[in-house]
């Protein structure tokens, strides 16, 4: 046997210490310096120490001025000086940093009264009583309400008169006046429209390039490390992006993806998936692609995943569990609780209702309708506002006392309105709950910031108002505008415009021109800036909500400022989140244009929602997914509004 060339052990020798003999070891040198130091006089020692301190201070001062010059340091950045040392080398995949000049605050939205010319006489409307909101919405206009006796009118929540007749998009609230600052002539408009829509297609192609090369068939692209991450292992990005490719007319990309769905996608997998996320992204994506293309492949896949999600509803209370194993047909709540999130259990209805309509199998619609009926009747709401959690055993709200339009509650409100629209505006319970909730928002959550009076939606925690607003809340301007377009009180449109302005400010007031995940508004007189951002909230996940609302606001008002705002946002996504080898990345810090700090993840909703809404925002074609024919689910997948004559499955 040969002796191993490399020993499998390390021998340790202790030397010097025991013998006391001279060697050049650290220990001996330390003893000799100490002896010399002790031989110095007190004055000599003090002088020496003084020189050392002086040298240290000079060194510090010159280091910080050099780094300031190199990095264009600002006072803001000095707060995080310690972080600089921890920052890794700026990756070449992100664009060269360019400090963005902060845009001046745009003018407050026009306080011009809407013309009532097109509208019928204004009738008394209890919904429009100001109550606590009078100081916030003092400028809110009277509603356009149809004449009494008009057949299209419905009497709804607490006697509010709702005009259900749709006005052509861009008609009722049209503001594309000749003197509007955002106005331009027909030729300029056409050129801009083409240029901007092409820029979105380009952005999509770039995102797709990264996904195709490094994450094909996987859930999400990790663009910086050129790899992927798996959530459910179902090709989430690919499915979420299908209808976007169709709408953007990216035929080749669509065909490649279709081929993958046909040959690779299987739901017969032993994986736990989240009921809500799978419903809105996968079921919703497949259903909308089926409607746009007429290709039965997508309907078959939708039926497959829809039926595999049904075990989630097998609970004592009929309030579904959050997680389902789509291979085993079992469901369960998260490990740490038996609660589900209110927004999750109440934002799966558009998809399951549509699945029932298409298959003529009532069980899907019945399951989600039961959830809505229960939530409708539950105790624990505040003026129509719901808590964030609901228990799957008892069917009651839990962790009560916190009311928000942000995470865990947001799309409950969105789906109240959208179910009403989807079903042909007949199911008045949804409308009533929606109208009551919007009044609840005005009464309890609406405030204005200081110094510029931005109207925002805060949160209420056990009676205490908090001026915190998630970026997620920026879905609300779009939803309010959609309601107004469908005949709900005109003051909803006024509020939509105010909130739209605020959401845009959440972008332009940041150094990168991109919104953080959460902001806090200042309400004290004498505040210097309206918006504060906590260090933990500075990330941007490429979320769609503001772009989504800009799309609705533009469709209904034709005010081009909304397109211009969207254009700026798209440019900033390109500047700070585009990864040169393909894809876009979430970032950690919207306040640092020099180093936004990539998070190395492209969320599927960037392709499913954000880019789709950009494209629709820049298009002048109101028939491109007409809002009178389609209702978007909360993941931006358009589903048809049910034809009036068609019998409903239940
Ligand atoms: C999406 O999955 C949906 O829009 C959902 O309603 C909220 N969160 C993301 C986008 O931010």
């Amino acid at each position: 046997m040969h002796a191993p060339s490399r020993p499998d052990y390390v021998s340790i020798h202790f030397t010097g210490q025991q013998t006391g003999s001279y060697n050049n070891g650290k220990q001996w040198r330390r003893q000799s310096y100490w002896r010399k130091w002790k031989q110095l006089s007190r004055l000599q020692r003090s002088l020496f120490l003084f020189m050392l301190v002086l040298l240290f201070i000079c060194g510090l001062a010159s280091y910080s001025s050099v780094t300031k010059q190199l990095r264009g340091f600002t006072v803001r950045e000095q707060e995080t000086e310690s972080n600089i040392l921890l920052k890794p080398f700026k990756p070449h995949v992100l664009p060269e940093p360019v400090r963005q000049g902060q845009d001046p605050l745009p003018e407050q939205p026009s306080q011009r009264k809407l013309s009532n010319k097109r509208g019928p006489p204004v009738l008394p409307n209890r919904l429009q009583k100001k109550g606590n909101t009078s100081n916030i919405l003092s400028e809110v206009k009277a509603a356009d309400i149809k004449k009494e006796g008009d057949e299209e009118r419905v009497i709804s929540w607490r006697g509010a008169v709702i005009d259900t007749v749709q006005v052509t998009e861009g008609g009722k609230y049209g503001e594309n006046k000749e003197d509007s600052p955002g106005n331009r002539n027909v030729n300029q408009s056409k050129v801009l429209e083409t240029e901007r829509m092409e820029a979105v297609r380009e952005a999509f192609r770039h995102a797709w390039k990264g996904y195709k090369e490094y994450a094909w068939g996987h859930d999400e692209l990790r663009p910086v490390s050129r790899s992927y991450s798996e959530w459910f292992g179902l090709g989430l990005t690919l499915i979420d992006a299908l209808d976007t490719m169709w709408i953007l007319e990216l035929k080749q990309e669509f065909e490649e993806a279709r081929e993958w769905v046909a040959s690779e996608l299987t739901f017969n997998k032993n994986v736990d998936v989240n009921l809500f996320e799978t419903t809105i992204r996968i079921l919703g994506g497949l259903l909308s692609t089926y409607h746009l293309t007429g290709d039965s492949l997508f309907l078959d896949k939708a039926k497959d995943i829809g039926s595999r999600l049904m075990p989630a509803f097998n609970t004592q209370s009929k309030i579904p569990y959050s997680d389902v194993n789509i291979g085993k047909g079992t469901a369960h709540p998260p490990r740490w609780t038996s609660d589900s999130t209110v927004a999750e259990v109440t934002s799966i209805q558009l998809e399951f209702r549509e699945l029932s309509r298409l298959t003529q199998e009532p069980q899907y619609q019945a399951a989600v309708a039961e959830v809505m009926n229960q939530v409708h009747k539950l105790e624990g709401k505040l003026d129509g506002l719901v808590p964030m959690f609901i228990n799957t055993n008892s069917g009651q709200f839990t962790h009560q006392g916190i009311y928000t339009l942000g995470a865990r509650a947001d799309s409950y409100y969105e789906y109240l309105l959208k179910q009403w629209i989807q079903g042909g505006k007949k199911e008045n319970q949804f409308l009533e709950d929606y109208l009551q909730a919007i009044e609840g928002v005005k009464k309890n959550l609406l405030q204005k910031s200081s110094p510029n009076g931005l109207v925002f939606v805060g949160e209420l925690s056990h009676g205490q108002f908090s001026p915190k607003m998630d970026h997620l809340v920026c879905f609300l301007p779009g939803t309010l505008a959609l309601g107004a377009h469908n005949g709900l009180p005109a003051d909803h449109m006024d509020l939509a415009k105010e909130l739209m302005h605020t959401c845009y400010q959440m972008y332009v007031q940041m150094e990168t021109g991109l919104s953080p995940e959460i902001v806090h508004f200042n309400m004290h007189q004498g505040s210097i800036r309206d918006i504060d951002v906590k260090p933990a909230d500075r990330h941007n996940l490429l979320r769609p909500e503001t772009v989504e609302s800009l799309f609705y606001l533009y469709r209904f008002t034709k005010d081009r400022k909304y397109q211009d705002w969207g254009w700026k946002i798209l440019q900033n996504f390109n500047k700070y989140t585009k990864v040169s080898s393909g894809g876009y990345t979430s970032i950690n810090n919207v306040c640092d244009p020099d180093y936004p700090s990539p998070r190395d993840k492209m969320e599927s909703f960037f392709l499913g929602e954000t880019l789709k809404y950009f494209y629709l925002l820049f298009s002048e074609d109101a028939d491109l997914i007409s809002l009178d024919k389609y209702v978007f689910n909360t993941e931006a997948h358009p589903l048809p509004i049910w034809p009036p004559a068609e019998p409903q499955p239940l």
Side-chain angles (χ1 to χ4, degrees):
M1 237 177 94
H2 297 286
S5 57
R6 193 163 51 88
D8 290 337
Y9 58 89
V10 178
S11 68
I12 303 171
H13 302 275
F14 297 93
T15 53
Q17 261 170 343
Q18 295 96 328
T19 60
S21 63
Y22 170 78
N23 62 31
N24 200 22
K26 274 185 194 162
Q27 175 82 10
W28 195 92
R29 269 183 283 151
R30 246 181 258 135
Q31 282 172 3
S32 137
Y33 291 147
W34 179 241
R35 203 172 302 135
K36 281 184 187 153
W37 173 253
K38 288 190 77 174
Q39 283 165 0
L40 293 176
S41 73
R42 185 172 288 175
L43 182 67
Q44 282 171 317
R45 279 191 228 156
S46 309
L47 262 176
F48 183 76
L49 282 176
F50 176 71
M51 290 300 288
L52 262 185
V53 170
L54 204 65
L55 265 176
F56 180 67
I57 290 171
C58 289
L60 260 190
S62 65
Y63 172 77
S64 90
S65 80
V66 167
T67 47
K68 266 184 208 177
Q69 276 178 359
L70 284 176
R71 302 188 72 247
F73 225 52
T74 64
V75 176
R76 178 186 54 77
E77 287 162 334
Q78 284 175 16
E79 288 163 17
T80 57
E81 195 164 10
S82 59
N83 292 344
I84 292 164
L85 299 173
L86 300 174
K87 279 178 186 167
F89 177 67
K90 197 179 294 172
H92 71 281
V93 289
L94 283 175
E96 275 303 294
V98 183
R99 182 172 293 281
Q100 172 173 311
Q102 195 168 313
D103 288 355
L105 273 180
E107 277 172 34
Q108 289 285 323
S110 158
Q111 302 299 308
R112 212 161 10 111
K113 292 260 184 254
L114 281 176
S115 160
N116 264 340
K117 268 187 206 151
R118 297 177 59 94
V122 175
L123 297 176
N125 181 349
R126 288 169 57 192
L127 278 179
Q128 289 164 24
K129 281 192 181 161
K130 303 273 163 50
N132 285 4
T133 66
S134 56
N135 49 346
I136 305 303
L137 286 177
S138 54
E139 60 274 18
V140 161
K141 292 113 188 160
D144 287 343
I145 299 170
K146 282 192 81 77
K147 275 190 286 226
E148 264 191 72
D150 191 319
E151 281 172 11
E152 305 292 347
R153 190 170 38 104
V154 276
I155 307 292
S156 189
W157 186 68
R158 295 193 191 162
V161 183
I162 307 303
D163 171 7
T164 60
V165 175
Q166 274 152 354
V167 187
T168 320
E169 286 173 33
K172 193 173 179 181
Y173 301 100
E175 295 193 342
N176 188 15
K177 299 270 163 59
E178 285 302 314
D179 58 356
S180 151
N183 208 19
R184 43 187 92 90
N185 70 37
V186 181
N187 284 341
Q188 285 170 322
S189 291
K190 197 72 219 157
V191 172
L192 263 192
E193 179 189 14
T194 312
E195 181 196 321
R196 289 176 175 185
M197 288 171 79
E198 191 46 43
V200 182
R201 284 158 55 92
E202 190 45 46
F204 188 98
R205 280 195 209 97
H206 186 81
W208 193 248
K209 175 180 182 273
Y211 179 75
K212 199 175 155 185
E213 281 184 33
Y214 309 116
W216 185 250
H218 297 285
D219 283 343
E220 288 141 344
L221 169 68
R222 300 187 62 207
V224 179
S225 54
R226 301 181 193 184
S227 58
Y228 59 83
S229 56
E230 225 55 298
W231 190 5
F232 311 136
L234 298 175
L236 199 58
T237 296
L238 189 149
I239 300 175
D240 220 357
L242 283 168
D243 58 3
T244 306
M245 289 183 268
W246 187 262
I247 292 168
L248 270 57
E249 296 181 62
L250 295 168
K251 294 195 178 107
Q252 194 194 323
E253 290 83 351
F254 179 83
E255 282 310 323
E256 291 163 356
R258 187 207 177 274
E259 184 48 39
W260 184 87
V261 173
S263 58
E264 303 286 332
L265 178 61
T266 172
F267 296 124
N268 189 13
K269 275 188 161 179
N270 180 11
V271 284
D272 277 352
V273 302
N274 174 282
L275 169 70
F276 163 73
E277 300 291 356
T278 308
T279 301
I280 65 168
R281 301 187 199 211
I282 295 182
L283 178 56
L286 291 167
L287 286 173
S288 72
T289 309
Y290 166 66
H291 278 295
L292 295 175
T293 62
D295 185 339
S296 61
L297 165 71
F298 300 108
L299 180 57
D300 292 342
K301 292 289 179 188
K303 285 185 209 165
D304 189 11
I305 188 65
S307 60
R308 286 172 187 275
L309 291 173
M310 289 304 281
F313 296 90
N314 293 337
T315 65
Q316 207 174 307
S317 65
K318 305 287 176 221
I319 299 298
Y321 288 132
S322 59
D323 298 292
V324 192
N325 187 304
I326 52 174
K328 290 187 189 159
T330 53
H332 57 87
R335 244 175 239 118
W336 57 92
T337 175
S338 54
D339 292 345
S340 286
T341 296
V342 170
E344 292 195 359
V345 301
T346 56
S347 312
I348 49 179
Q349 278 66 15
L350 291 178
E351 300 81 358
F352 278 98
R353 280 156 54 102
E354 178 59 11
L355 189 59
S356 270
R357 193 180 73 93
L358 288 172
T359 59
Q360 293 294 303
E361 292 174 22
Q363 70 270 23
Y364 307 112
Q365 178 164 7
V368 294
E370 172 67 21
V371 179
M372 292 312 295
N373 282 333
Q374 288 197 37
V375 170
H376 171 72
K377 290 187 220 138
L378 276 185
E379 300 274 301
K381 291 186 205 157
L382 173 72
D383 301 317
L385 304 176
V386 288
M388 296 152 85
F389 296 98
I390 186 163
N391 190 270
T392 50
N393 297 321
S394 68
Q396 301 297 313
F397 290 130
T398 60
H399 301 93
Q400 296 192 37
I402 301 178
Y403 300 97
T404 172
L405 265 273
R408 299 186 184 281
D410 48 359
S411 42
Y412 161 73
Y413 305 100
E414 180 187 351
Y415 269 37
L416 285 175
L417 178 73
K418 288 184 172 176
Q419 285 178 83
W420 178 67
I421 293 173
Q422 179 190 42
K425 301 193 237 183
K426 297 186 193 103
E427 298 150 293
N428 280 346
Q429 185 176 296
F430 296 135
L431 176 63
E432 289 168 15
D433 286 354
Y434 176 74
L435 289 169
Q436 190 189 11
I438 298 305
E439 289 306 297
V441 170
K442 290 191 217 164
K443 182 176 164 191
N444 300 289
L445 304 181
L446 218 54
Q447 285 294 344
K448 275 186 175 180
S449 69
S450 181
N452 287 303
L454 302 176
V455 175
F456 69 92
V457 180
E459 296 184 356
L460 206 61
S461 177
H462 307 286
Q464 195 76 23
F465 181 80
S466 157
K468 161 181 179 276
M469 180 164 148
D470 295 352
H471 181 272
L472 288 169
V473 181
C474 290
F475 82 93
L476 188 59
T479 297
L480 286 167
L482 179 65
H485 173 70
N486 279 281
L488 304 195
D491 71 342
H492 287 205
M493 182 54 103
D494 302 328
L495 179 55
K497 290 178 188 169
E498 293 281 3
L499 291 172
M500 189 74 264
H501 172 69
T502 301
C503 288
Y504 182 56
Q505 289 303 311
M506 287 162 61
Y507 283 71
V508 288
Q509 293 199 16
M510 299 303 124
E511 286 80 349
T512 55
L514 292 174
S515 172
E517 179 73 356
I518 299 170
V519 297
H520 285 78
F521 289 92
N522 284 315
M523 291 173 63
H524 308 292
Q525 286 200 337
S527 301
I528 298 164
R529 50 184 285 170
D530 292 84
I531 302 177
D532 280 335
V533 188
K534 303 203 164 158
D537 303 333
R538 289 178 178 172
H539 48 291
N540 178 299
L541 305 184
L542 312 170
R543 283 196 192 278
E545 290 76 16
T546 295
V547 188
E548 168 186 354
S549 285
L550 287 171
F551 155 65
Y552 284 104
L553 268 285
Y554 181 68
R555 275 279 171 104
F556 299 137
T557 67
K558 291 289 172 210
D559 186 338
R560 292 203 170 99
K561 82 177 174 204
Y562 298 121
Q563 289 183 320
D564 295 341
W565 292 358
W567 181 239
K568 277 196 178 176
I569 294 173
L570 177 62
Q571 287 170 309
N572 289 323
F573 275 131
N574 276 329
K575 196 187 272 183
Y576 295 107
T577 70
K578 190 173 179 179
V579 178
S580 64
S581 52
Y584 288 75
T585 179
S586 307
I587 54 174
N588 279 316
N589 192 355
V590 296
C591 303
D592 189 348
D594 290 344
Y595 190 72
S597 176
R599 282 170 91 107
D600 196 15
K601 180 152 159 170
M602 184 173 78
E603 300 277 353
S604 80
F605 51 67
F606 183 63
L607 281 73
E609 298 193 69
T610 313
L611 293 179
K612 185 187 291 154
Y613 282 131
F614 269 129
Y615 189 77
L616 295 172
L617 165 67
F618 298 141
S619 168
E620 298 298 341
D621 182 3
D623 284 333
L624 182 59
I625 317 293
S626 161
L627 290 171
D628 298 331
K629 294 186 181 135
Y630 289 95
V631 61
F632 284 87
N633 86 340
T634 193
E635 188 75 5
H637 297 304
L639 299 173
I641 294 172
W642 297 344
E646 201 170 297
Q648 290 170 22
L650 283 182

